[in-house]
Amino acid sequence: MASSRLKYLSLGVLVFQTTSLVLTMRYSRTLQAEGPRYLASSAVVVAEVMKIFTCVLLVFKDHNYSMRALNSVLRQEIAHKPIETLKLAIPSGIYTLQNNLLYVALSNLDAATYQVTYQLKILTTALFSVSMLGRRLGVFQWLSLLILMAGVALVQWPSDSAPVPEKEALSAGSQFVGVTAVLVACCSSGFAGVYFEKILKESKQSVWVRNIQLGMFGLVFGLFGMLAYDGERVKESGMFQGYNTVTWTVVALQALGGLVIAAVIKYADNILKGFATSLSIILSTLISYFWLQDFQPTGVFFLGAILVIMATFLYGYEGKPPPNPSRA
Ligand code: C5P
């Protein structure tokens, strides 16, 4: 009962977090910024630090605010179990690679193609859940995943009134590089998410300790990335150049995202995470329309939204009728 409450709570917080992140990012783009823009590579590092810090606080709370207990848990579970800790280097490394691939993709594709193609991760996640976790999906569930994918793709379809790409048409070669990068990112997203889910569900280890392990590697990879891409700029103006209140909000929401995704993977699963993020895309688009007035929903958008909502109900539908007798 309690875990079912946590499942819906974590999914609800994910919808809230994704929606506010999209809106804040959109808002930050409409702001007239003075001075240098903040470095994206620095934002990644700061978000990792925030995540680790919050997870340490959560472990501290779980041990009745005892410094001694915290110290011993961190030492026993992280320092004294190097193999267990190293296991988290895999999803962490893959996520770092993924973030870079998405950057390559965005530089070679228009935003709409990128966003629409990236929805294939809904299917790769399902395929990895079946092959790595032995999860069984019924016909309705596979169907609902296809509908979900199509729905999110339509929701993100550019409207006719959208301005023609400002750059000259992207070359076929660059399209190919972009699409390949997104397809690899779809596989890495599915694999890393399901791998983390497997680690979480196979051991009794607290999700927050696991997240500290993940974050430690993320921090190391992120620091390398920052020095490699922006080393010169960091030396010149520091890693916090261009930070303002909105930047801090975006970074905090990104850190919160990592924490909520971990909770969703623990209490629900990666497939449900796909539904939560799809619903939040619709929600943020609608809020953006009513509040920021920077978006004009089209018929295609509404069709996509209806498909996403239908898929969500269809996915939950099969679990309720006659229980599967062969279920272990
Ligand atoms: O697109 P996708 O859903 O795969 O993105 C997941 C994101 O969540 C990645 O950017 C990854 O860094 C982040 N994440 C995290 N902590 C976790 C799991 C994922 O920060 N425990």
Side-chain angles (χ1 to χ4, degrees):
M1 220 42 206
S3 84
S4 149
R5 224 189 58 218
L6 284 171
K7 173 171 153 182
Y8 291 108
L9 181 70
S10 60
L11 285 166
V13 178
L14 183 61
V15 173
F16 166 78
Q17 182 271 337
T18 318
T19 310
S20 10
L21 182 62
V22 172
L23 289 174
T24 322
M25 281 183 148
R26 226 174 246 189
Y27 175 67
S28 75
R29 266 191 273 140
T30 61
L31 268 189
Q32 295 286 348
E34 322 145 7
R37 244 165 62 96
Y38 71 91
L39 305 171
S41 61
S42 143
V44 171
V45 171
V46 178
E48 287 298 344
V49 173
M50 278 189 186
K51 256 185 347 194
I52 298 176
F53 185 70
T54 315
C55 288
V56 171
L57 279 182
L58 287 166
V59 176
F60 186 46
K61 177 188 153 278
D62 284 349
H63 289 85
N64 301 318
Y65 303 100
S66 151
M67 259 332 254
R68 263 188 62 188
L70 172 69
N71 202 359
S72 112
V73 168
L74 293 185
R75 230 167 340 133
Q76 275 173 22
E77 299 301 333
I78 299 176
H80 293 174
K81 288 188 184 160
I83 302 288
E84 281 297 300
T85 303
L86 264 175
K87 278 188 188 170
L88 275 297
I90 297 173
S92 178
I94 293 178
Y95 277 136
T96 310
L97 183 77
Q98 181 178 322
N99 290 339
N100 286 296
L101 278 173
L102 293 179
Y103 178 77
V104 173
L106 260 178
S107 322
N108 287 288
L109 290 176
D110 60 283
T113 313
Y114 157 81
Q115 274 174 323
V116 170
T117 321
Y118 195 35
Q119 299 318 318
L120 260 180
K121 71 179 176 178
I122 293 172
L123 282 192
T124 54
T125 301
L127 289 173
F128 281 114
S129 300
V130 169
S131 57
M132 288 168 61
L133 298 172
R135 187 156 292 148
R136 290 173 50 200
L137 296 179
V139 182
F140 284 118
Q141 288 177 310
W142 281 114
L143 188 66
S144 76
L145 290 173
L146 284 175
I147 298 176
L148 179 70
M149 207 182 75
V152 191
L154 288 183
V155 163
Q156 304 199 323
W157 206 264
S159 62
D160 289 339
S161 57
V164 208
E166 55 293 350
K167 280 186 267 172
E168 66 281 11
L170 292 154
S171 74
S174 120
Q175 280 265 347
F176 179 77
V177 172
V179 170
T180 309
V182 183
L183 292 181
V184 178
C186 286
C187 294
S188 81
S189 165
F191 176 78
V194 173
Y195 182 96
F196 188 67
E197 183 173 346
K198 196 169 157 72
I199 290 184
L200 273 184
K201 292 184 175 166
E202 271 178 5
S203 73
K204 290 208 173 74
Q205 195 46 268
S206 127
V207 56
W208 308 126
V209 171
R210 288 302 194 194
N211 235 22
I212 296 174
Q213 292 169 313
L214 188 76
M216 276 170 20
F217 289 107
L219 179 60
V220 172
F221 293 135
L223 277 172
F224 270 116
M226 184 174 79
L227 295 177
Y229 288 125
D230 297 313
E232 282 304 309
R233 266 172 281 188
V234 170
K235 247 186 256 158
E236 261 168 41
S237 319
M239 68 179 279
F240 294 109
Q241 56 185 293
Y243 271 59
N244 56 29
T245 323
V246 182
T247 317
W248 283 107
T249 313
V250 170
V251 170
L253 281 170
Q254 239 148 8
L256 175 68
L259 298 174
V260 183
I261 286 179
V264 163
I265 293 178
K266 161 125 183 134
Y267 298 112
D269 59 55
N270 274 290
I271 299 182
L272 289 172
K273 165 178 160 276
F275 282 94
T277 42
S278 305
L279 287 173
S280 75
I281 290 173
I282 298 180
L283 195 63
S284 58
T285 314
L286 286 178
I287 296 179
S288 167
Y289 166 61
F290 286 115
W291 183 38
L292 298 175
Q293 272 148 26
D294 68 345
F295 172 77
Q296 194 67 45
T298 58
V300 174
F301 170 84
F302 283 111
L303 177 64
I306 291 171
L307 287 182
V308 168
I309 293 164
M310 257 175 54
T312 309
F313 282 106
L314 185 63
Y315 186 84
Y317 171 73
E318 221 196 15
K320 284 166 203 155
N324 185 348
S326 61
R327 236 178 112 194

